[in-house]
Amino acid sequence: MPENKVIYGLKNAHYAVISEDVEGVETYGTPISLKGAVEITLEPKGEQSDFYADDTLFHTTTSNQGYETTLTIANISNEFRIDVLGEISIATDNVLTENANAKPNKIAFMFEFDGDQKAVRHVLYNCTVARPSLTSATKTETAEPSTQELTLVAAPRTIDGVVKRSTTSETPDTVYNGWYTAVYTPAVV
């Protein structure tokens, strides 16, 4: 299959909570759909360092510290607030409680961009999510839906430095079709 000439759109946002055992081994939970993804931006984190010698740029190095990601979403689900942000649901009243001492859970974050040939599926492996702002506006002649923004920092995994993986036009169907059933981990790297 030929490669995409263009990509567009955003859909199939999913997250999988990362759990860590007593020895520090991380495992991924089952991916959960996060409906209402509107826009995503991945800004590279890291710096370029230039070294000068002999009156010229002698050597340049770069560091890959992952991405700072902004996800615009229609509305953050209560399930995400509990699973990831650490909010607590009071069972007797079904009231969500945000606590200053709550520790957010790290997640793997998956999504896809459509293409002229085939959608490209992505996974960010080691994401920390910041609390979102809470905004809305009054209705006018038209009722414009408000959106919410999540900020995710996708850092390299400590075990192997992997930040992100993406499918290609040559990705086998078994891997491509199973992308959202479990966080992709290759058998051999």
Side-chain angles (χ1 to χ4, degrees), residues 155-170:
R157 292 193 307 194
T158 53
I159 191 168
D160 58 10
V162 172
V163 175
K164 178 176 87 64
R165 288 192 169 107
S166 305
T167 61
T168 68
S169 60
E170 303 301 318

Side-chain angles (χ1 to χ4, degrees), residues 6 10 16-17 30 40 48-49 62 67 73 117 142 171-172 179 181:
V6 295
L10 170 63
V17 175
T30 302
I40 190 166
Q48 176 177 310
S49 296
T62 60
Y67 295 94
I73 191 164
Q117 300 296 318
T142 59
T171 299
W179 198 257
T181 58

Side-chain angles (χ1 to χ4, degrees), residues 14-107:
H14 285 69
Y15 67 94
V17 175
I18 299 172
S19 57
E20 188 175 327
D21 67 16
V22 293
E23 293 159 3
V25 176
E26 294 181 339
T27 56
Y28 301 101
T30 302
I32 299 169
S33 179
L34 185 60
K35 300 289 185 194
V38 176
E39 182 178 358
I40 190 166
T41 304
L42 282 74
E43 292 291 334
K45 285 181 65 78
E47 294 192 14
Q48 176 177 310
S49 296
D50 296 332
F51 177 74
Y52 290 85
D54 297 329
D55 288 340
T56 187
L57 178 58
F58 194 74
H59 181 73
T60 300
T61 60
T62 60
S63 69
N64 181 343
Q65 296 302 315
Y67 295 94
E68 185 161 316
T69 303
T70 304
L71 174 67
T72 304
I73 191 164
N75 191 34
I76 301 167
S77 70
N78 291 344
E79 185 176 27
F80 184 88
R81 290 180 178 281
I82 293 166
D83 291 349
V84 180
L85 300 176
E87 293 186 18
I88 300 166
S89 178
I90 300 172
T92 56
D93 299 326
N94 290 320
V95 172
L96 280 178
T97 301
E98 179 182 320
N99 187 301
N101 299 319
K103 302 285 188 250
N105 288 312
K106 292 192 302 182
I107 62 170

